[in-house]
Amino acid sequence: MSETPEELHYASSHEWARLEEDGTVTVGITDHAQDALGDIVYVELPDEEQQVEAGAEAGVVESVKAASDIYAPVTGVVIAANEVLEDAPERVNEDPYGDGWFFRIQPDDPGELEDLLDAAAYDEMCSEEE
């Protein structure tokens, strides 16, 4: 079983969300997702100041195996995109919960995070998929 940090919130579509001290939400894909995708070769991120809706497509990640949509876990405005991934998409494979983050959102309602899965529920969902 892959590493699933307890402090994060998880979408059933395999994104993680971390509430930061400043009230923003950092988003990435889980270790489980990057492992299933294989070697990441390209990441398309949302534009800064783009409005995103919870559950709606916000980007794309491509690997040697497949391309997958990235969904926003909460509704809000994108305030930052991890530009490092443009030149080094492999960071997602190397550090999915750290340097491999995708974008940050200023959420309209941080309470939406409570609608996501906790680590135990996410792990259980992943084990049922296998």
Side-chain angles (χ1 to χ4, degrees), residues 3-5 8 10 16 18 29-32 95-100:
E3 169 196 350
T4 309
L8 303 179
Y10 299 90
W16 57 261
R18 179 177 54 234
I29 62 170
T30 65
D31 189 45
H32 176 84
D95 190 11
Y97 300 114
D99 290 340

Side-chain angles (χ1 to χ4, degrees), residues 1-114:
M1 182 57 59
S2 58
E3 169 196 350
T4 309
E6 295 281 331
E7 71 277 8
L8 303 179
H9 302 269
Y10 299 90
S12 58
S13 52
H14 303 286
E15 292 82 17
W16 57 261
R18 179 177 54 234
L19 182 62
E20 304 293 350
E21 289 184 16
D22 64 1
T24 62
V25 175
T26 301
V27 179
I29 62 170
T30 65
D31 189 45
H32 176 84
Q34 70 78 25
D35 187 55
L37 283 167
D39 293 337
I40 307 282
V41 296
Y42 175 75
V43 176
E44 181 181 313
L45 301 171
D47 295 326
E48 287 186 31
E49 299 185 18
Q50 178 179 332
Q51 177 74 30
V52 293
E53 300 293 324
E57 181 185 331
V60 176
V61 60
E62 293 182 14
S63 73
V64 294
K65 292 182 184 178
S68 295
D69 291 334
I70 302 302
Y71 300 95
V74 295
T75 299
V77 175
V78 175
I79 59 166
N82 187 355
E83 295 175 2
V84 169
L85 299 182
E86 291 176 10
D87 295 323
E90 66 277 3
R91 292 276 176 93
V92 177
N93 295 115
E94 296 165 359
D95 190 11
Y97 300 114
D99 290 340
W101 63 277
F102 282 47
F103 53 92
R104 288 198 175 99
I105 298 172
Q106 181 65 57
D108 290 350
D109 177 9
E112 284 184 323
L113 289 170
E114 300 308 316

